[in-house]
Amino acid sequence: MNGIARQITLDRRHIAKHLPNTLQSQRLLKLGRAAHIFIDEDTMNRVAQAIIEQGEYNGKIRNYERYGLFFTEPIGYRISADGSTIPLFYGEVKIDADNRYHVIPRTKPSEG
């Protein structure tokens, strides 16, 4: 079965770190970490909806249920602290124990 068949609620605390030019995404870069950024908020919302409707369950990894989906066109990019970027084609929804979720653009599914 694909998709998420129960009610989940968007966890707004994680949105800004996955959008371009926000204080949160810039903070990750200043700390020397990579940031996984959606092209824009509309893309983020479209990816979340697609995963909720037809994403594949990847298991429970690091205390989150994870569902994901590959896309044919880039949904975002990974930017390194040095400014280099790579396009991202995979989206992942992470659901916590309270049924709150957030969506992340990734290179591939999370691994345990």
Side-chain angles (χ1 to χ4, degrees):
M1 182 171 112
N2 289 347
I4 302 169
R6 67 178 189 277
Q7 185 68 35
I8 57 176
T9 305
L10 178 62
D11 188 346
R12 298 191 177 282
R13 295 176 300 164
H14 299 282
I15 293 174
K17 68 182 168 186
H18 298 297
L19 293 175
N21 303 315
T22 61
L23 292 175
Q24 291 85 341
S25 63
Q26 295 300 312
R27 182 173 183 267
L28 290 171
L29 298 172
K30 286 179 184 175
L31 292 172
R33 298 178 56 196
H36 292 76
I37 307 294
F38 284 101
I39 293 170
D40 56 30
E41 191 168 0
D42 288 340
T43 301
M44 180 185 68
N45 292 332
R46 184 174 43 83
V47 166
Q49 190 61 40
I51 296 169
I52 290 168
E53 291 174 3
Q54 56 191 339
E56 294 182 26
Y57 180 65
N58 294 327
K60 191 166 188 175
I61 302 167
R62 293 183 296 280
N63 296 319
Y64 287 92
E65 281 185 55
R66 295 172 190 253
Y67 294 79
L69 193 61
F70 277 102
F71 293 84
T72 57
E73 296 188 19
I75 59 171
Y77 52 94
R78 180 186 184 276
I79 184 167
S80 297
D82 67 6
S84 62
T85 62
I86 60 170
L88 301 174
F89 293 85
Y90 187 79
E92 185 174 81
V93 164
K94 292 172 55 174
I95 305 172
D96 69 15
D98 295 318
N99 288 316
R100 294 177 301 213
Y101 77 93
H102 67 281
V103 62
I104 305 166
R106 299 182 47 85
T107 56
K108 62 182 179 166
S110 290
E111 298 173 354

